Amino acid sequence: MKKYDYIILGTGPAAYQLIKLLATQHKSILAIESGLFGGTCPNVGCEPKIYLDGAVQAALLSKQLEGHGIEQAATMNWSQLMKEKKERFASWANETRKNISKVCDVISGSAHFIDRQTIEANRHYFQGNKIIIATGRRPHELSIPGAKFVHDSSDVLSLNKLPEHVTFIGGGYIAMELATFLAAAGSQVTILVRGDRVLRHFYQKYSRELVAKMKERGIQFKFETEPTRITQLSDKYVVELNQDGPMVTDYVVNASGRTPNIEKLDLSAAQIDYSTRGIDVDRHLQTNVNNIYAIGDVTSQDIPNLTPVAEFQAQYLFNSLENGFTQPINYPVIGTGVFAFPQLAQAGINPDSVLEDGDNFEIKEYELSQSSLYAGQKEKGLLTVVYDKANYIVGVSEISTSAINDINYFIPIIGLRINKNEWHRNVLQIYPALADKIEGILR
């Protein structure tokens, strides 16, 4: 039985970052991957998504400027775009495996615990002084008749032919983004939302505004609606609903959420605590078993499941295990965004959480129409800023065609607690550009 300093389950952003760091210390490492090397983000997640988003944003922005200096809006060629996307990303998994193989042993296959120090993979046993679980998440599976007919986000990001009508199940960021992409390319899109709102973790005023803007472009929303059965009808599908009549569609996408990849790990064999939300860890990312840790999306922590967060955890765990850091993990200001049109983004305190706390916070909304960047556009954009009692910015939310880049400007302002005087004393940015919008907002 071969023994290692570290056995790492998974090779997504959290694991990949940790492997690179541990390799600098000349540790013996075994990485085991049951899926695509590199995980969701570079293969079927954020990287290919943002590649498609570039074309989508250009097409929709040109449509918005039509009649305001642009004579003809751009139209998308989905098949060509997808062909180029596949050419760009097809080799990423193999390249990631090659990179990892240069610094550690690698196994392709499922792994599960035998005991607290032993892993079985491909009928071979391995022991690790420390074991790191970084197996990520996968799309949540529907439990309705006909669930075998649905597709997930990975399928959409490799979809060769554009369907005439697409039905999304779910109202999270995956549904909102992919619906934006397909509708921009020419599909009719319907979104089924189980509750009465979308994007529950975002400022709801702007979430409702985003829904309104998407409706204006022809995207349909059915709230408090769930599918109860899906049947095939020739080359189409019939989706039966809990209310209203059945609907016929060409393509059904399950975007109802993601679930941690833990079922095949046999965590009980190592007596590791977990729930349907993921693996329980403390503020040192340690499970209840002292030599086993978990990082990335597989944990049950109430934090955004984002690539930068996973990589931050990897850096923290490396410092804890190899550099003797003893302080618990302290997360910085985390920015999140929805690559729809317009974009939605936020960082720090969500205005919804302090709407009734006028004694400690002030909430102020700014229209962004004064910026020359919006010349000719129909959408002017809105920014809501949360100030604390000392007049420091502690939270920002925005809806605009450039919300994600705008909010990135505010993250260091929040994290470093910069006031207006410090900003003007130390910063002179390129003008006129996105920074133009910050003027007058700092106090």
Side-chain angles (χ1 to χ4, degrees), residues 7-10 30 32-34 107 109-128 131 133 135 261-272 292:
I7 295 178
I8 301 178
L9 307 181
L30 171 64
I32 306 175
E33 176 59 70
S34 62
I107 291 178
S110 296
H112 65 92
F113 282 89
I114 298 300
D115 56 39
R116 295 184 175 198
Q117 286 191 308
T118 310
I119 294 291
E120 180 183 1
N122 297 345
R123 299 184 180 180
H124 291 85
Y125 294 88
F126 307 92
Q127 283 195 334
I131 299 175
I133 306 170
T135 48
N261 285 316
I262 55 177
E263 289 83 357
K264 296 180 180 179
L265 296 177
D266 197 4
L267 298 174
S268 58
Q271 299 179 313
I272 300 170
I292 301 176

Side-chain angles (χ1 to χ4, degrees), residues 270-319:
Q271 299 179 313
I272 300 170
D273 291 341
Y274 67 95
S275 68
T276 56
R277 297 179 61 246
I279 296 173
D280 297 333
V281 294
D282 63 16
R283 293 192 63 196
H284 299 273
L285 302 179
Q286 186 180 66
T287 69
N288 61 300
V289 181
N290 61 14
N291 69 305
I292 301 176
Y293 301 79
I295 54 177
D297 296 357
V298 76
T299 72
S300 62
Q301 298 174 94
D302 189 20
I303 54 174
N305 292 320
L306 302 169
T307 293
V309 174
E311 293 174 339
F312 182 84
Q313 291 175 345
Q315 181 69 61
Y316 167 82
L317 190 58
F318 171 76
N319 288 332

Side-chain angles (χ1 to χ4, degrees), residues 7 33 36 45 47 102 111 142 175 182 193 196 208 250 259 273 279 286 300 331 333 386 402 407-408 422 424:
I7 295 178
E33 176 59 70
L36 293 171
E47 292 285 352
K102 294 175 182 177
L142 295 177
L182 293 179
V193 184
D196 61 354
R208 292 190 295 271
D250 298 290
T259 188
D273 291 341
I279 296 173
Q286 186 180 66
S300 62
Y331 291 99
V333 178
V386 180
S402 58
I407 294 303
N408 270 334
E422 292 169 323
H424 288 296

Side-chain angles (χ1 to χ4, degrees), residues 8 23 178 242 285 317 352 372:
I8 301 178
L178 296 183
N242 64 329
L285 302 179
L317 190 58
D352 286 326
S372 298

Side-chain angles (χ1 to χ4, degrees), residues 235-248:
D235 60 345
K236 295 182 181 293
Y237 299 92
V238 178
V239 182
E240 298 181 27
L241 307 173
N242 64 329
Q243 61 177 356
D244 300 328
M247 58 182 298
V248 179

Side-chain angles (χ1 to χ4, degrees), residues 22-194:
L22 291 173
T24 65
Q25 304 300 303
H26 308 291
K27 298 296 180 179
S28 60
I29 309 166
L30 171 64
I32 306 175
E33 176 59 70
S34 62
L36 293 171
F37 277 79
T40 297
C41 179
N43 292 295
V44 292
C46 42
E47 292 285 352
K49 174 191 77 175
I50 201 64
Y51 183 85
L52 299 179
D53 179 72
V56 170
Q57 294 289 327
L60 291 176
L61 193 56
S62 71
K63 178 69 174 177
Q64 201 174 72
L65 292 170
E66 196 171 20
H68 298 274
I70 299 295
E71 291 188 1
Q72 185 174 351
T75 57
M76 291 179 58
N77 184 326
W78 180 267
S79 297
Q80 181 181 355
L81 180 64
M82 189 57 62
K83 178 177 179 293
E84 295 190 8
K85 171 260 171 187
K86 289 183 176 181
E87 290 175 353
R88 178 179 176 87
F89 293 98
S91 63
W92 281 35
N94 287 335
E95 290 174 0
T96 302
R97 177 177 179 142
K98 289 179 181 178
N99 290 337
I100 294 175
S101 298
K102 294 175 182 177
V103 297
C104 71
D105 291 345
V106 171
I107 291 178
S108 293
S110 296
H112 65 92
F113 282 89
I114 298 300
D115 56 39
R116 295 184 175 198
Q117 286 191 308
T118 310
I119 294 291
E120 180 183 1
N122 297 345
R123 299 184 180 180
H124 291 85
Y125 294 88
F126 307 92
Q127 283 195 334
N129 292 331
K130 293 182 176 63
I131 299 175
I132 317 298
I133 306 170
T135 48
R137 292 181 178 244
R138 68 182 188 280
H140 168 263
E141 297 178 7
L142 295 177
S143 57
I144 60 172
K148 64 181 180 181
F149 297 122
V150 305
H151 301 269
D152 60 26
S153 57
S154 300
D155 298 325
V156 176
L157 291 172
S158 296
L159 186 59
N160 292 318
K161 183 180 179 182
L162 194 69
E164 183 177 340
H165 184 273
V166 181
T167 299
F168 283 89
I169 302 168
Y173 74 93
I174 292 176
M176 301 293 279
E177 290 177 344
L178 296 183
T180 298
F181 295 179
L182 293 179
S187 290
Q188 294 179 311
V189 175
T190 301
I191 301 178
L192 308 179
V193 184
R194 181 175 63 179

